[in-house]
């Protein structure tokens, strides 16, 4: 199985959203949509678009919808051959910005930053020419946040989060929550819904933890991230099974802005992913057990598609021991152990071995090593003339576990 990957996307002015369906990953890149397969390999582009601002896929994965702010329309794309098969004119509702799907209905929030008026509407995609059905709101000044799942639609302006029941596609207001009443002094942030539409995950508009809300009782059910300290959480994204939520975690130091995966029910942080350093992380999407993110290298302004293979799977465990010091050109012996996520022995497996001299950024491969049935293994190597070597052992994903690795640093001196 393939390991994590980082695919260059090039230089762009704006990137805003990512979606996945039909064995493909779609990235909104302002004037185009970049398409990759689920290994992270680029597979094409949908070009000639005007300010792509959001993407959403149909429940069956056969269609991709894109909000084009520049041309005031929503386009429908066949995810098989990437052909644009329908354009829905929203010239009367300027700047479509955010999208959500429920069944065969597409929900659109709209509003140009320079106009000071906005709103939300629904489109019945089962008919050839969908007519906008306006969602009743209290005159928001900017395009509201919008999310839909199950029979629930959520629309959040800066201060007010409104929850609607979807009865035959017609939104009926269930209730509303005021950010001020819940101590969210900077308003509502981003929103994600569990697949059944029963729970909303929201990030606040400023540095804080993030929360889960029971959309039946309209009350807070849990806060996440408190044990992580005061950090800026963003881009909440819920796994397809509704058990985990991924968020970006920012700090004052952009080099320390990883992704964190939380257990949605317990609130525990179950996995933290190295953010590749010196990057800004944008939107996230799950594709099966994999997690994809769009990231920007803040030094040169280039964008990349980052694939975290098997992100939702429990990780295996790896240990590696060896000498702290070694003489130049003298053989050093290392011992390690691979263990399954549940602590059981893995049986005979192949472990990848590599090494990296001080000052280099990449590891050079060494011969693979085969474990014993209990997961233990031994290998030997002769360090070169450099004063420090880092040895790494790695075991790739399996169908039921995420990869794991371990390293050992050896200082080299004398002869």
């Amino acid at each position: 199985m393939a390991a994590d990957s980082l695919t260059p996307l090039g230089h762009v002015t704006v990137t805003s959203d990512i979606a996945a369906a039909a064995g493909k990953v779609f990235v909104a890149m302002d004037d185009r949509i970049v398409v990759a397969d689920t290994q992270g390999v680029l597979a094409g582009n949908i070009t000639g678009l005007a300010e792509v601002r959001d993407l959403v896929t149909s429940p069956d994965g056969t269609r991709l919808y894109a909000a084009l702010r520049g041309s005031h329309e929503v386009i429908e794309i066949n995810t098989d051959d990437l052909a644009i098969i329908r354009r829905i004119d929203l010239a009367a509702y300027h700047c479509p910005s955010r999208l959500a799907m429920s069944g065969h209905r597409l929900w659109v929030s709209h509003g140009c930053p320079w106009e000071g008026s906005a709103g939300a509407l629904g489109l019945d995609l089962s008919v050839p020419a969908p007519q906008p059905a306006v969602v009743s709101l209290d005159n928001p000044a900017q395009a509201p946040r919008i999310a839909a799942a199950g029979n629930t639609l959520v629309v959040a302006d800066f201060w007010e989060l409104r929850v609607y029941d979807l009865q035959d596609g017609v939104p009926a207001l269930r209730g509303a929550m005021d950010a001020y009443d819940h101590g969210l002094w900077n308003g509502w942030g981003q929103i994600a819904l569990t697949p059944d539409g029963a729970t909303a995950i929201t990030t606040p508009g400023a540095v804080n933890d993030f929360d889960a809300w029971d959309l039946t009782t309209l009350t807070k059910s849990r806060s996440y991230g408190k044990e992580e300290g005061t950090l800026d959480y963003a881009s909440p994204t819920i796994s397809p099974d509704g058990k985990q939520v991924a968020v970006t975690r920012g700090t004052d130091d952009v080099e320390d802005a990883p992704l964190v995966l939380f257990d949605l029910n317990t609130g525990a942080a179950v996995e933290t992913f190295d953010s590749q350093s010196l990057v800004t992380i944008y939107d996230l999407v799950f594709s099966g057990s994999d997690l994809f993110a769009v990231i920007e290298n803040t030094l040169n302004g280039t964008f990349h598609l980052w694939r975290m293979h098997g992100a939702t799977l429990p990780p295996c465990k790896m240990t590696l021991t060896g000498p702290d010091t070694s003489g130049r050109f003298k053989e050093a012996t290392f011992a390690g152990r691979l263990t399954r996520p549940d602590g059981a022995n893995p049986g005979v497996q192949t472990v990848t071995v590599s090494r990296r001299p001080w000052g280099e950024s990449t590891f050079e491969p060494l011969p693979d090593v085969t474990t014993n049935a209990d997961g233990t293994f031994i290998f030997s190597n002769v360090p070169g003339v450099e004063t420090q070597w880092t040895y790494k052992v790695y075991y790739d994903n399996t169908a039921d576990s995420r990869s794991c690795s371990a390293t050992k640093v050896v200082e080299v001196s004398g002869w």
Side-chain angles (χ1 to χ4, degrees):
M1 299 181 70
D4 295 356
S5 62
L6 198 63
T7 304
L9 298 174
H11 291 269
V12 292
T13 304
V14 177
T15 183
S16 51
D17 196 41
I18 183 172
K24 298 181 178 71
V25 179
F26 306 93
V27 184
M29 302 288 280
D30 195 40
D31 63 348
R32 65 190 184 276
I33 299 171
V34 176
V35 185
D37 65 20
T38 52
Q39 304 297 310
V41 178
L42 296 182
N45 291 273
I46 303 168
T47 59
L49 308 179
E51 299 183 42
V52 188
R53 286 299 176 268
D54 203 12
L55 303 173
V56 70
T57 57
S58 60
D60 63 5
T62 63
R63 298 291 184 266
L64 171 73
Y65 297 91
L68 306 187
R69 191 177 76 171
S71 55
H72 309 302
E73 62 182 338
V74 169
I75 58 172
E76 182 179 65
I77 300 165
N78 186 322
T79 56
D80 181 29
D81 60 12
L82 306 182
I84 298 175
I85 56 178
R86 181 160 50 168
R87 292 179 178 269
I88 302 173
D89 182 14
L90 294 177
Y93 306 92
H94 288 178
C95 298
S97 299
R98 298 185 176 99
L99 304 176
M101 283 288 300
S102 62
H104 57 79
R105 293 187 184 270
L106 179 67
W107 303 97
V108 185
S109 82
H110 61 89
C112 303
W114 55 88
E115 290 185 351
S117 62
L121 56 89
L123 297 168
D124 182 354
L125 300 175
S126 65
V127 300
Q131 298 302 307
V134 175
V135 179
S136 178
L137 300 173
D138 291 335
N139 299 316
Q142 58 185 356
R145 306 282 185 183
I146 192 167
N151 70 337
T152 302
L153 172 70
V154 173
V155 183
D157 193 6
F158 187 81
W159 284 115
E160 187 177 54
L161 186 148
R162 297 167 70 92
V163 182
Y164 298 85
D165 287 313
L166 296 178
Q167 302 169 352
D168 297 322
V170 178
L173 184 63
R174 185 186 304 170
M177 293 185 288
D178 190 285
Y180 184 84
D181 292 341
H182 294 280
L184 302 176
W185 315 120
N186 290 279
W188 295 99
Q190 297 163 313
I191 307 168
L193 298 188
T194 53
D196 59 5
T199 303
I201 302 294
T202 67
T203 58
V207 175
N208 208 327
D209 51 353
F210 63 104
D211 304 307
W213 303 87
D214 184 322
L215 296 183
T216 300
T217 61
L218 303 184
T219 57
K220 184 190 294 189
S221 54
R222 181 179 300 281
S223 290
Y224 302 80
K226 287 184 178 295
E227 72 281 1
E228 305 293 322
T230 303
L231 299 159
D232 187 8
Y233 291 99
S235 304
T237 305
I238 297 173
S239 60
D241 61 9
K243 295 181 179 179
Q244 297 170 320
V245 55
V247 291
T248 64
R249 186 182 73 179
T251 68
D252 292 335
D253 182 358
V254 73
E255 292 189 30
D256 184 24
L259 293 174
V260 184
L261 197 64
F262 287 87
D263 185 294
L264 194 141
N265 292 318
T266 67
V270 296
E271 189 72 55
T272 298
F273 300 95
D274 179 5
S275 60
Q276 312 295 312
S277 81
L278 293 174
V279 299
T280 297
I281 304 174
Y282 290 84
D283 202 37
L284 313 173
V285 70
F286 284 96
S287 177
S289 63
D290 293 351
L291 179 62
F292 287 85
V294 177
I295 64 176
E296 179 188 10
N297 184 314
T298 54
L299 290 181
N300 59 24
T302 59
F303 286 84
H304 298 77
L305 178 63
W306 179 21
R307 178 196 186 208
M308 287 143 282
H309 186 40
T312 64
L313 300 176
C316 57
K317 302 181 180 82
M318 185 83 78
T319 61
L320 181 64
T321 60
D324 294 329
T325 61
S326 176
R328 287 184 175 88
F329 304 114
K330 291 186 177 179
E331 187 174 74
T333 299
F334 302 85
R337 184 168 188 173
L338 169 67
T339 308
R340 288 180 48 83
D342 60 3
N345 293 333
V348 177
Q349 302 294 334
T350 299
V351 173
T352 299
V353 183
S354 59
R355 69 177 189 175
R356 180 184 67 191
W358 183 86
E360 296 295 327
S361 60
T362 58
F363 283 83
E364 59 184 53
L366 296 174
D368 293 345
V369 63
T370 300
T371 72
N372 298 311
D374 64 356
T376 59
F377 58 88
I378 296 175
F379 68 91
S380 298
N381 185 252
V382 178
V385 298
E386 286 79 2
T387 59
Q388 184 187 88
W389 289 83
T390 300
Y391 287 84
K392 179 179 181 179
V393 289
Y394 172 83
Y395 183 69
D396 204 356
N397 291 32
T398 65
D400 59 359
S401 70
R402 180 167 167 77
S403 63
C404 55
S405 64
T407 60
K408 174 61 182 175
V409 177
V410 179
E411 303 290 341
V412 178
S413 62
W415 297 94

